[in-house]
Amino acid sequence: VYYKLGNRYNYIFIDEFQDTSKVQWHNLKPLSEEVMSKRVVSNVDKTGQTILFGDKKQAIYRFRNGDVRLMDEMTKKNEQNQFYHPENNIIKLSTNYRSKKEVVEFNNTFFKQSKERERHAENELLVRVYEDSEQTYHRKDGNGYVALHVTDFASKIDDVAEKFNKDIYAIIQQVKKCGYQLNDIAILLRKKDKIPSIIQYLANPPLGTNRKKIACISEESLSLKNNAEVQFLIAMLYFLQ
């Protein structure tokens, strides 16, 4: 199978390689070796290529057996390394074309401090993960902004959720005063089970407050089962039954 596929394809591109597991790589490695062992054009000294694209800092799928050490091994150029190849070419993308100046500078400071913390803890793997993470920015349009808000989790869970929702509402109002519209704002959460609570808080302000409703669109809010009219019809059918 590897030989047949290796003859069919000349180039292999693996994106988000930092989240690749050892099992996945051991399945792909023979195919990669087969592709790189053949010439792409007859009588020309040019072989196929395997391109691995990833960022070690973005390794977030360890729970799916993603192993950032694979990518770390790829960058070690020595004869003892089983992934070493004399023609390995490492290209580092040092210019950020997506984010604005303030975001890039925040990231640079954050990863620099993270590297020093791990160096002090003698965690050499993470030191290498944060190595060469500094970037320059390309965008010159407007001003970016980064702020950190810390929520106290020492209190009861319900109180924390309430405070968390209040903080989000306050941030939205602050951003709107800066001239942004609601359709310019996105809320990203680590777990989607927090989404209903936030949508409920923003869309249904408590009685006796001056808060205005904030309409939200999410995968959860677009679900039919969460539609108020659908829920009413289902409740009515249960009642009639």
Side-chain angles (χ1 to χ4, degrees):
V1 173
Y2 289 125
Y3 178 77
K4 196 168 184 178
L5 288 174
N7 278 318
R8 180 175 181 180
Y9 298 107
N10 296 324
Y11 303 96
I12 296 177
F13 178 88
I14 303 177
D15 197 11
E16 304 294 354
F17 186 74
Q18 74 277 352
D19 293 319
T20 303
S21 70
K22 287 183 177 179
V23 173
Q24 290 171 327
W25 176 241
H26 284 308
N27 288 331
L28 291 168
K29 188 168 178 279
L31 176 59
S32 172
E33 292 173 340
E34 184 65 33
V35 167
M36 293 190 296
S37 67
K38 69 170 186 175
R39 291 185 178 183
V40 176
V41 182
S42 300
N43 302 321
V44 177
D45 189 19
K46 183 179 180 181
T47 63
Q49 292 183 335
T50 297
I51 302 171
L52 310 175
F53 189 86
D55 182 353
K56 289 184 283 188
K57 301 187 303 300
Q58 296 184 32
I60 61 174
Y61 285 105
R62 188 175 179 182
F63 65 93
R64 294 181 181 173
N65 296 320
D67 194 341
V68 70
R69 289 173 295 183
L70 284 174
M71 192 168 183
D72 185 56
E73 289 294 321
M74 294 291 179
T75 61
K76 292 180 181 178
K77 292 186 176 181
N78 59 70
E79 298 293 345
Q80 287 72 39
N81 183 4
Q82 62 173 321
F83 304 112
Y84 173 79
H85 191 280
E87 297 182 4
N88 276 356
N89 185 21
I90 301 173
I91 301 175
K92 296 179 180 179
L93 306 180
S94 57
T95 302
N96 189 315
Y97 291 89
R98 178 182 296 173
S99 303
K100 295 186 178 182
K101 171 186 174 183
E102 289 76 11
V103 177
V104 175
E105 290 180 343
F106 171 82
N107 289 339
N108 289 341
T109 301
F110 178 83
F111 289 124
K112 181 180 179 180
Q113 293 178 356
S114 298
K115 182 177 69 175
E116 293 306 315
R117 183 180 65 248
E118 299 303 336
R119 191 190 307 278
H120 181 73
E122 299 183 352
N123 190 332
E124 292 302 320
L125 173 61
L126 289 183
V127 170
R128 291 194 299 272
V129 166
Y130 295 128
E131 201 73 55
D132 299 324
S133 59
E134 186 171 352
Q135 291 185 314
T136 58
Y137 59 91
H138 177 77
R139 293 181 60 178
K140 306 290 193 302
D141 54 320
N143 297 318
Y145 182 72
V146 178
L148 299 178
H149 296 260
V150 180
T151 301
D152 180 17
F153 286 94
S155 55
K156 295 180 180 179
I157 295 179
D158 292 341
D159 295 339
V160 171
E162 178 75 11
K163 186 177 187 308
F164 187 68
N165 293 340
K166 286 182 179 178
D167 288 346
I168 290 178
Y169 181 86
I171 292 171
I172 292 174
Q173 297 306 315
Q174 180 183 356
V175 171
K176 286 180 63 180
K177 289 180 181 179
C178 294
Y180 292 93
Q181 302 299 316
L182 288 177
N183 58 6
D184 296 321
I185 302 172
I187 302 173
L188 303 180
L189 299 165
R190 184 174 183 179
K191 295 183 178 180
K192 67 178 183 180
D193 59 355
K194 301 291 190 301
I195 296 176
S197 170
I198 295 173
I199 292 178
Q200 178 72 15
Y201 185 87
L202 297 178
N204 300 285
L207 296 175
T209 66
N210 295 324
R211 285 203 300 111
K212 295 181 179 180
K213 290 184 178 182
I214 298 179
C216 302
I217 296 178
S218 71
E219 182 181 356
E220 294 292 321
S221 65
L222 294 176
S223 175
L224 280 176
K225 69 178 182 179
N226 295 324
N227 182 277
E229 288 79 6
V230 172
Q231 290 178 343
F232 172 78
L233 289 175
I234 293 175
M236 180 60 70
L237 290 173
Y238 275 118
F239 174 77
L240 295 174
Q241 185 182 19

